[in-house]
Amino acid sequence: MTLPKQRITVLGSTGSIGVSTLDVMARHPDRFEAFALSAATQVELMLAQCAQFRPRYAVMASEPPARLLAEKIKANGLSVQVLHGQDALEMIASHEAVDAVMAAIVGAAGLKPCMAAAQAGKRLLLANKEALVVGGDVFMQAVRAGGARLLPIDSEHSAIFQSLPDDPACWAQRVEKIILTASGGPFRTRDPASLRHVTPEEACAHPNWVMGRKISVDSATMMNKALEVIEAKYLFGVTPAQIEVVIHPQSIIHSMVQYHDTSVVAQMGTPDMRVPIAYGLAWPERISSGAQALDFRTLAGMTFEVPDAARFPGLRLAWEVLDAPVGSTAVLNAANEVAVAAFLERRIRFDHIHQVNHATLQAIPVSEIHDIEGLLALDAQTRRLASEMVQRLEA
């Protein structure tokens, strides 16, 4: 019997995760079809994606690129409806015709569409860290209330998910700790005193992964791993003390689970995001991802290191905010987004990123927040303060 195609909404289709998602979907045209695509400003790439995948909707972040895209869609004779804005994103994430949503919008802008998908009970392929880092318990409550199926797409969290028993009810009784691996980024062996001179080009030159500029900088500071620690706490129901980070420069083991009997189960593979994407799209089945398989005959070796606190001072902030009031994780995320953007614009130094993050956390008192509006208000307040700190560092 031929199963009906899964109709997929890809939020952030022109980013690296979105492009990889469409690549996997194109390898299995009998299983998947694009229901809707979204992007921020990349009109030409969105047009090409619309021509190839013929979605029902294409959503841009704002009106000017949407208007330009609509003109090009019409000129090319495509029957794609072009929309823009937050309401449109939430609509394509929760539409009754959608089976699964790939959430790959970078930043807090992806939180509301993720919430909409969760509340609508969708299969939610989560590549947007901020849904959990900012949303935390509020987001997880929406997942449970809506009956959504949450599948992590980050290579590390997908690896953990694949290494855990099928029944989440037994995780707490069996799991001793979760071990997140990190590549160490481009500055793993660099003298910490020299990091003040790092350029955006150097920070974005990741040795193993092809990623967007923001997440590449996060990898260089290891803030991406701090955010992943926060995600792991919410995704897998462990305590912060049960999460460990180890540097594994080869990026072959993507993460591990240690059980109470000291057995360790790990997921391995080449550093290609199409692997966790294919797993999320087809779960609980497995399909071809297009990635190259590991060749153990040519694998030189695997090494592991403890992260250097002087080189990666931002990593410890993950445990600090998890021990602080609910909402502190949202402050860390917002401050980091502002600081990384300023660094990429050459307005502040690389080492200033941690300075802005730490100072912002110290400056904003957080009381318990239990709704999405409160979290988004805190996000906006944090961005204003972090921007002021950036301006002072520029002066």
Side-chain angles (χ1 to χ4, degrees):
M1 182 178 67
T2 302
L3 295 175
K5 293 182 182 180
Q6 284 191 58
R7 290 159 295 191
I8 313 294
T9 285
V10 183
L11 301 172
S13 67
T14 59
S16 60
I17 297 295
V19 169
S20 293
T21 300
L22 292 176
D23 179 87
V24 174
M25 289 171 59
R27 294 171 187 275
H28 303 276
D30 58 323
R31 297 186 61 127
F32 309 109
E33 64 179 74
F35 174 81
L37 306 176
S38 87
T41 59
Q42 294 194 61
V43 170
E44 292 300 330
L45 180 51
M46 175 60 88
L47 177 64
Q49 290 177 346
C50 287
Q52 180 178 358
F53 293 94
R54 306 298 173 104
R56 187 184 303 183
Y57 297 103
V59 177
M60 304 301 290
S62 60
E63 196 274 337
R67 184 175 63 248
L68 179 58
L69 177 64
E71 293 171 356
K72 291 178 178 288
I73 290 283
K74 183 178 180 180
N76 283 269
L78 300 174
S79 57
V80 179
Q81 185 174 351
V82 180
L83 305 170
H84 70 273
Q86 190 67 231
D87 289 346
L89 287 174
E90 293 179 44
M91 182 276 289
I92 63 171
S94 59
H95 197 286
E96 62 181 4
V98 171
D99 297 304
V101 176
M102 170 58 76
I105 295 176
V106 176
L111 178 55
K112 279 198 168 183
C114 283
M115 287 287 289
Q119 291 164 343
K122 301 302 181 185
R123 175 187 286 222
L124 182 54
L125 283 57
L126 193 64
N128 173 285
K129 287 180 168 58
E130 291 72 23
L132 282 167
V133 174
V134 178
D137 284 326
V138 175
F139 176 70
M140 292 305 296
Q141 288 167 12
V143 169
R144 290 188 288 269
R149 174 77 247 190
L150 189 59
L151 296 169
I153 299 302
D154 270 354
S155 61
E156 295 82 1
H157 299 104
S158 177
I160 294 164
F161 184 69
Q162 293 180 58
S163 300
L164 286 167
D166 290 338
D167 183 8
C170 70
W171 292 354
Q173 289 75 36
R174 298 186 187 181
V175 173
E176 181 73 23
K177 65 180 176 180
I178 282 171
I179 304 167
L180 291 167
T181 58
S183 68
F187 308 134
R188 180 177 62 86
T189 61
R190 184 157 173 164
D191 179 1
S194 72
L195 292 177
R196 62 183 289 133
H197 304 299
V198 162
T199 66
E201 290 75 22
E202 290 175 309
C204 290
H206 196 281
N208 299 338
W209 297 93
V210 177
M211 305 181 293
R213 283 164 62 80
K214 193 269 181 183
I215 194 171
S216 294
V217 175
D218 282 348
S219 179
T221 63
M222 277 190 74
M223 181 52 64
N224 72 320
K225 211 54 52 177
L227 299 180
E228 287 167 15
V229 168
I230 296 167
E231 283 184 278
K233 186 264 186 189
Y234 290 111
L235 279 170
F236 306 115
V238 294
T239 66
Q242 288 178 284
I243 306 171
E244 181 179 312
V245 173
V246 63
I247 291 180
H248 169 48
Q250 295 80 21
S251 296
I252 299 299
I253 294 178
H254 297 304
S255 277
M256 300 169 270
V257 176
Q258 180 176 309
Y259 290 89
H260 289 310
D261 63 359
T262 72
S263 295
V264 176
V265 177
Q267 187 266 339
M268 306 170 67
T270 51
D272 189 322
M273 283 304 300
R274 290 177 297 177
V275 176
I277 288 168
Y279 184 74
L281 284 169
W283 180 89
E285 300 177 47
R286 291 184 184 267
I287 58 175
S288 171
S289 65
Q292 187 175 17
L294 283 177
D295 184 349
F296 287 93
R297 297 168 301 178
T298 61
L299 198 60
M302 294 187 289
T303 59
F304 304 90
E305 308 164 10
V306 176
D308 182 352
R311 189 176 288 110
F312 305 114
L315 182 59
R316 70 173 186 271
L317 296 179
W319 287 270
E320 292 182 14
V321 295
L322 284 173
D323 286 335
V326 172
S328 300
T329 56
V331 172
L332 176 59
N333 177 75
N336 184 65
E337 285 192 18
V338 170
V340 170
F343 167 70
L344 287 171
E345 294 165 1
R346 305 179 193 276
R347 296 166 56 203
I348 61 173
R349 298 197 312 256
F350 182 79
D351 59 317
H352 283 158
I353 295 173
H354 173 66
Q355 188 174 327
V356 171
N357 292 344
H358 184 263
T360 305
L361 281 169
Q362 297 296 310
I364 294 186
V366 179
S367 57
E368 296 286 338
I369 298 174
H370 299 290
D371 59 73
I372 191 67
E373 289 75 19
L375 289 170
L376 291 175
L378 180 61
D379 177 90
Q381 178 190 2
T382 301
R383 290 172 190 276
R384 289 192 296 270
L385 180 59
S387 297
E388 292 172 3
M389 291 184 176
V390 165
Q391 289 174 356
R392 287 198 290 272
L393 287 169
E394 286 182 288

